[in-house]
Every structure is written in structure tokens, then in C-alpha cells.
Amino acid sequence: MRRFLRELISTGLYLFLREDREGELRVLTYHRVNRTSPRDRLSVHTDSFRKQMLYLARKGYHTLTMEELSEILREKRPIPRRSILITFDDGY
């Protein structure tokens, strides 16, 4: 549980605890998700990542792809409530 809380905070999911606003897009940025380097502070263990994604799904969040976001912005449509974008830096 302690490890899960640490990873929850380190990935910024704590921001989801605040109130959701209309037209707001939340972006989760991960460095790497793996199961081979549990002590790597830049990595999130695959089990924790799975739990985080299940939590978001249970809370009614849905992911947008970059293509979907681009289309929404191009067409000047409002961003759907409880939308998230998940990114990975450094090509992981």
C-alpha cells in the first residue's frame, strides 16, 4: 500500500482528487512502466500502473488519443468532462 501511494503521488494522480472542471484536460506523464526495475524512481511498476488505470476507469475518466485531442481542438469542440491524456517521455 505504501508503495502504491508513493507511486500515486509521484505520477501526479493526486491531482485527480481535486474537483473536475468543465473543458479541462488532465495529462498524466510517465517516464516508464516496467516490472524489472522496482527501485527505479522514474519507473512505475506494471502492477501499480494497472491499478491506477483501473482506478481512473472506475471514477469515470476516459483517455483521449493525440489524434482525438487534435480533432477536438481543430473543430473547437469542448473537451469532454473527465478526459485524460496519457504520455510517455523518452520513447518508453
Side-chain angles (χ1 to χ4, degrees):
M1 180 65 161
R2 187 173 179 190
R3 179 177 167 188
F4 175 71
L5 290 175
R6 185 177 68 239
E7 290 176 356
L8 179 75
I9 292 169
S10 70
T11 58
L13 277 177
Y14 67 94
L15 292 175
F16 284 89
L17 299 177
R18 66 183 181 81
E19 187 177 331
D20 188 38
R21 296 186 191 135
E22 184 78 30
E24 182 176 77
L25 177 66
R26 297 177 185 194
V27 179
L28 291 178
T29 302
Y30 291 88
H31 179 67
R32 177 175 31 187
V33 176
N34 72 25
R35 67 174 60 240
T36 59
S37 303
R39 297 199 186 275
D40 178 1
R41 291 184 52 106
L42 297 176
S43 294
V44 175
H45 195 277
T46 51
D47 293 337
S48 292
F49 182 76
R50 185 177 298 110
K51 288 176 187 176
Q52 291 171 15
M53 296 303 108
L54 288 170
Y55 170 83
L56 293 172
R58 283 194 306 267
K59 294 294 183 179
Y61 287 91
H62 63 277
T63 58
L64 293 177
T65 65
M66 288 300 290
E67 292 79 15
E68 290 169 330
L69 178 60
S70 178
E71 184 178 313
I72 288 168
L73 296 174
R74 188 173 47 254
E75 296 175 0
K76 297 181 180 169
R77 291 186 282 138
I79 295 171
R81 192 174 197 123
R82 295 192 169 253
S83 294
I84 59 172
L85 183 70
I86 300 172
T87 67
F88 295 87
D89 65 358
D90 293 339
Y92 287 106

